[in-house]
Amino acid sequence: MNVATDNLRDPSTLFFQYDKIRRSIIASYWLIIFLALPLWWNTTSIERLPLPSPNVYAQQERELRFPIKIALDPAFGNIAPSVESELRNVVWQTRQGPALDISVGVGNEADSSDDTYVVLPGETDIVLDGRRMKIPKDHIEPSKLAQILSSLIFPYSPKQEHRVAQYSPRFRLAFTLLNEDASAGQTVVGWDILGAIDRHISPITSAVSILHNFTIESQVQFHAPLAFEPTALEDGTFGLTPEDLTIFVNSAEWTLSSSSSNDPVLHFVLFVPSISRRPLSILNNDGTPSTSNAFLIPQWGGIVLCNLPSASDEKWLSNMDLASPFSAFSHQLSTLLGIPKLPPGIKTSPQNSLLTSWQIDALLRHRMHETVRRTKDTLLSTVNLVQQIPNMPVDEKAQNDVQGALVALDAVWDSEGGKKFNLTDMLGNSARALTFSQRAFFHPGMLALLYFPAEHKYAVYTPLFASAVIPLVAAAIRELLAWRRQRRDANRRDG
Amino acid sequence: MANALGMYRTVKRLGIPDSNIILMLADDAACNSRNKFPASVYANAGRNLDLYGSNIEVDYRGYEVTVENFLRVLTGRLPESVPRSKRLLSDSNSNIFVYMTGHGGNEFLKFQDNEEVSAHDIADAFEQMWQGGRYNEIFFMIDTCQANTMYSKFYSPNILATGSSLEGENSYSYENDHDIGVSVIDSYTHHVLEYMEGVNKTSRLTMGDLFMSYNVPKIASHPGIRSDLFSRPLGGGENLHTYGRGNGWRHPGEWVGREQERGKTGTEVLITDFFGGVVGVDVEEENGKDATIVEDSPHSISREQNETGKKGVKAATYIVKDKTTSWVDMKEARAWASFLIVGLLLGLVWTRRS
């Protein structure tokens, strides 16, 4: 009997059913829930740090302007004003590319600063030497001089521009010697690539080394079939029609570059046709053979056909043999990099110098204009996208990169307005701005989270929380009611 | 799986190198030990054409094929350690072809068996690509059930889209291979691939011609087009304007942007603009002063990027509910319903106590 009564104790005498303990247990549940709420909020919300959007919008309104100082020798003093107005006119008409502030003065070479273009009277030819230009004094009209100057200072046209590869601080140059079919005989087994690069490519790469970093790779391949049949001509030679050229690169079967880095690649292919298809030439639109054996694929690279005279079975291309293909390659490389060509009839001094300061300056101005424009665009799109897509996270790195790009852009504006005008510094800053802005835009953390419609959220949360919350809420209400009843009873007893 | 491989083979045949194709295969069916024909995937029940072959480069396979990776590839937001071959290295001159297939439904496509990509996600990704200068034009093709809903949310310019079936309509597979017990290819893809066999690298056929070739009785669903975001005319001649209204169409064909089509000017969009590696070429005269431009195609596509996104073998058809209430109403209704349930339960406890 005693045992039974012992076992069936009144619940209110159990120690954990004492009012105080029971209520603190229930309260602790609620306490934990409230304490955990900030954690839940923190872990489920997306980190979106503010971006300096007003600064980005302010940058949009700024335009890069380049001061260009031209000093005419006193010998040209009488035509200087008309040259200046003509030149302004020409620049205003093109409206392409960077804005130029042109000032034409008359002065001696001695009292002009480094970055001034000097026009001196010369002899029979127009000769460029550094930033000096010697031009025959007789019969020079202001419009002619203005035209020459504008073609040197701003030599770009939209037509050329589509060939130029987009600016990148790093480029890889891949030189490939392709034997169409080595098994057919008269194979080219090797080439003096180092010598050829030294002689033809290095002068260009070193001249633009402040713009780009180059990595060069080369290879020889012995089997590179074409994906089409070249047209056989009546005289036993073979030709490539303009249509063939568009599909000449058999990218499915040729491996033209290693994929060791993510830098953009410029391809240069020396193609040796199979012995059964020699000589192979390029045909004009009307079917007549073209004098050229090289063609350029815009922004991709260049191809040169190499028709060897019948010779021994295995041939090694020497420096002599490579002279003509590599001069074509160097030509193509400068086109792809956007190095302007000199207008016809202008000579350089010393004779063998490849690039003059006029060309390099024009290239720098052009590239800088491009990088600044792209930076501004990228920053604007970053800010717009973050506003537009509410699920897009913005973390500290992305924020810092945007800040970095803005700082670098400001440095560009500073050096533009400052006394010490230095193209190289400006270029460095603008390139840095571009790198920062690109890194911010393509930051892996900026992936917008998946789109979840509202009912997905309810579907996730309801089964998870409803079952846990309902007993808790019910217990709290019951406890509250019990407490109120207790108080009422106590009051009644007291009263 | 044969769908994506078939597209892969076609774009490759038309001159796009592996380095510019990103192929995502969620199943490694070819190398699965249960495959009766090891290392091959055939395009048809007769096993005439091995799509897997000896020269294939699958960039993402198996569990690498996730929604996240797919969106990262599109937007270019990949960690620095990702190799070149797994990236979409496109720029503002690139034309991109995106092909997706798998099990889908209204505004979603299933990836693996546990996630799905929604039409909003892809639309946002395309917008980010546009803002980031990652494409010139996109051609989006999708073969799933209710495929046309997938492109309905796009809002970025220069996107041409086509899908295999209307909202609420299934896409069916083309034929069964009884030896391996699965369907090998879908009707719509089979039809497109068959049409593509007649296209070569220098073909002048236009997208309009492709769209006009859609044959509803053969495909067994109603393909749709969306061209209102696309600025160039589709070609295909006068017939195209009657798209989706001819013989065999049980429902009128869906074409978003039909009205704008007549007002468009410019060069017609060719199939090879997206499927081929045609480039504009400049021939340089030796020692010449100015390069004479022998050929300069009006659309100087420097690089053609093709993205073949794909998921899963599609063996069975997907059953879908007919949705009548509009999207917003459903959302509201469900939200209130869940509150109502909680309220009812609370009320129940309350009344039983008192």
Side-chain angles (χ1 to χ4, degrees), chain B residues 145-309:
Chain B
C145 300
Q146 316 197 48
N148 296 359
T149 56
M150 276 304 270
Y151 59 67
S152 57
K153 299 291 174 208
F154 292 168
Y155 55 94
S156 316
N158 292 347
I159 300 180
L160 178 63
T162 181
S164 63
S165 48
L166 296 170
E167 181 178 345
E169 187 184 42
N170 289 340
S171 263
Y172 293 99
S173 40
Y174 177 67
E175 58 184 355
N176 253 304
D177 185 338
H178 295 291
D179 284 338
I180 47 177
V182 291
S183 310
V184 281
I185 198 162
D186 289 344
S187 309
Y188 172 76
T189 305
H190 177 82
H191 176 83
V192 171
L193 290 178
E194 204 140 80
Y195 186 78
M196 289 296 174
E197 286 301 306
V199 177
N200 62 26
K201 285 182 181 179
T202 51
S203 150
R204 307 297 292 173
L205 287 171
T206 61
M207 280 293 170
D209 295 328
L210 169 68
F211 296 148
M212 282 313 292
S213 78
Y214 286 163
N215 184 331
V216 175
K218 270 191 183 168
I219 296 175
S221 61
H222 294 75
I225 314 173
R226 176 157 185 206
S227 67
D228 58 331
L229 299 166
F230 202 74
S231 56
R232 290 199 276 149
L234 303 181
E238 194 54 35
N239 281 341
L240 187 69
H241 293 284
T242 59
Y243 172 81
R245 289 178 188 153
N247 247 344
W249 291 79
R250 274 167 291 134
H251 307 284
E254 181 189 284
W255 181 8
V256 185
R258 189 193 294 268
E259 296 76 30
Q260 287 103 311
E261 184 62 23
R262 285 195 193 272
K264 285 180 186 169
T265 51
T267 50
E268 294 180 345
V269 49
L270 301 180
I271 289 175
T272 48
D273 286 355
F274 291 97
F275 286 84
V278 181
V279 287
V281 169
D282 300 342
V283 176
E284 292 191 9
E285 295 292 328
E286 214 173 336
N287 306 322
K289 293 143 204 143
D290 261 320
T292 40
I293 294 163
V294 170
E295 209 275 349
D296 194 343
S297 87
H299 15 264
S300 67
I301 302 146
S302 65
R303 190 159 32 148
E304 198 96 12
Q305 288 275 3
N306 266 270
E307 155 95 13
T308 310

Side-chain angles (χ1 to χ4, degrees), chain A residues 57-93:
Chain A
Y57 291 130
Q59 297 285 0
Q60 299 303 313
E61 277 147 34
R62 306 199 62 166
E63 266 294 331
L64 202 55
R65 299 190 76 82
F66 297 100
I68 288 182
K69 282 174 272 178
I70 299 169
L72 297 182
D73 191 81
F76 300 105
N78 51 339
I79 58 169
S82 45
V83 169
E84 182 168 8
S85 63
E86 286 270 355
L87 204 51
R88 288 228 169 107
N89 208 4
V90 173
V91 170
W92 189 79
Q93 271 171 3

Side-chain angles (χ1 to χ4, degrees), chain A residues 424-438:
Chain A
T424 320
D425 275 2
M426 269 172 89
L427 182 85
N429 282 325
S430 63
R432 215 171 47 244
L434 180 67
T435 316
F436 271 128
S437 65
Q438 294 275 332

Side-chain angles (χ1 to χ4, degrees), chain A residues 163 291-292 296 331 441 444, chain B residues 72 77 93 280 282 284-285:
Chain A
R163 299 181 200 167
T291 54
S292 161
L296 180 105
H331 199 230
F441 189 88
Chain B
R72 280 191 192 279
R77 296 203 170 93
N93 297 313
D282 300 342
E284 292 191 9
E285 295 292 328

Side-chain angles (χ1 to χ4, degrees), chain A residues 158-172:
Chain A
K159 195 148 205 172
Q160 287 171 330
E161 235 156 87
H162 88 265
R163 299 181 200 167
V164 178
Q166 232 180 17
Y167 176 77
S168 155
R170 301 176 57 86
F171 272 115
R172 221 139 42 89

Side-chain angles (χ1 to χ4, degrees), chain A residues 18 41 122 201 239 260 277 298 314 379 461 468:
Chain A
Y18 293 150
W41 183 254
I201 304 298
S260 56
R277 288 194 188 143
E314 287 188 354
L379 285 176
Y461 283 130

